Amino acid sequence: MPNPTAAMLVIGDEILSGRTRDANAYHLAGVLSAAGIDLLEVRVVPDDHDVIVSALDALRGRYTHVFTSGGIGPTHDDITADAVAAAFGVGIAVREDARALLEEAMARRGTAASPDQLRMARVPDGARLIVNDVSGAPGFSLGNVHVMAGVPSIFRAMLDALLPGLQAGVPRESREVRFEVGESRVAGPLRDLAERTPGLTFGSYPFSDGDLRGTNVVVRGTDPALLDEAVTRLEEIRRAVS
């Protein structure tokens, strides 16, 4: 049975402008790979309601899971929750269980939730909350879309809470073989090996180390025995092209 698939939708003008460097896609990719969920697409969109809705409609019908980050804070440009509600055709309002989580977290910090902060308790109808112990403001899941914060520490906390309840598969492992020759020397033999081993994926990544120009070949898959066999073949290729 094939692994579940996933896409990530990164939402925010600050990512597209270069003001903020996204760290959440990197973290998500590693966590999903270890859980046996194959991340196949990452898309970045601006804080634009119609663009977010269109992207959600395209992704949620194509993949088992869609993970979003960004746009669920207290400010006017935090429109992700509204866009998700629109994509699913449901209403959205402050929900009492979400309000309780937020107000409890604020009380622990000695403050009360302001009207702007209560925007973070607005949840689409029918959604399931994703709690986090960092800020207290919840994310949510609606259908196969999982909506989480853009702040990396909060995103990671939400993902930790969410992941145990998701359909998962066989963890994907990787092996790496270093070639101290350029990619062009490796390309032909690597292509032949990849064609003979359809259960694995191969990637070649050039590097430079002083005057040395080399290539790291990474092979990924779910079958450890097949991976070990591929490494043996790669080491044979390395000896042949050295």
Side-chain angles (χ1 to χ4, degrees):
M1 183 176 179
N3 279 351
T5 59
M8 183 180 190
L9 185 63
V10 181
I11 300 164
D13 292 342
E14 69 275 14
I15 301 295
L16 290 169
S17 69
R19 180 177 179 82
T20 300
R21 179 180 296 177
D22 176 68
N24 294 331
Y26 173 81
H27 179 74
L28 180 67
V31 169
L32 293 187
S33 183
I37 299 173
D38 295 340
L39 181 63
L40 301 181
E41 183 174 350
V42 176
R43 191 177 298 194
V44 184
V45 296
D47 296 309
D48 182 298
H49 180 275
D50 292 343
V51 174
I52 298 170
V53 171
S54 177
L56 285 169
D57 286 341
L59 296 173
R60 66 192 179 95
R62 188 179 305 163
Y63 300 106
T64 312
H65 303 289
V66 178
F67 301 86
T68 80
S69 73
I72 59 171
T75 60
H76 72 283
D77 57 346
D78 289 310
I79 60 173
T80 298
D82 295 273
V84 173
F88 281 87
V90 300
I92 182 171
V94 172
R95 212 166 78 180
E96 289 308 308
D97 53 353
R99 178 202 289 266
L101 288 171
L102 181 60
E103 289 182 336
E104 180 182 348
M106 299 297 294
R108 288 197 300 267
R109 295 193 285 270
T111 61
S114 68
D116 284 335
Q117 287 167 324
L118 284 176
R119 280 177 50 83
M120 296 185 288
R122 297 174 69 251
V123 179
D125 296 342
R128 307 174 303 282
L129 297 186
I130 304 172
V131 300
N132 82 88
D133 295 329
V134 177
S135 71
F140 60 86
S141 296
L142 187 58
N144 64 336
V145 176
H146 313 292
V147 179
M148 294 178 285
V151 177
S153 60
I154 303 175
F155 178 88
R156 290 193 296 269
M158 289 181 175
L159 185 59
D160 288 345
L162 171 67
L163 196 63
L166 296 185
Q167 175 191 354
V170 181
R172 193 167 292 274
E173 301 180 19
S174 64
R175 307 280 194 275
E176 182 175 317
V177 177
R178 175 183 167 108
F179 288 75
E180 295 190 349
V181 296
E183 276 190 303
S184 61
R185 297 279 300 280
V186 180
L190 184 58
R191 184 184 307 110
D192 292 341
L193 179 58
E195 290 173 352
R196 297 197 309 270
T197 322
L200 302 175
T201 59
F202 295 82
S204 64
Y205 306 96
F207 69 87
S208 60
D209 185 0
D211 293 333
L212 174 67
R213 299 293 182 268
T215 307
N216 287 320
V217 173
V218 177
V219 54
R220 302 181 70 242
T222 57
D223 185 334
L226 200 58
L227 285 166
D228 291 341
E229 182 179 342
V231 168
T232 299
R233 302 285 85 77
L234 286 169
E235 289 172 345
E236 292 174 353
I237 295 170
R238 180 174 59 186
R239 288 191 292 271
V241 301
S242 295

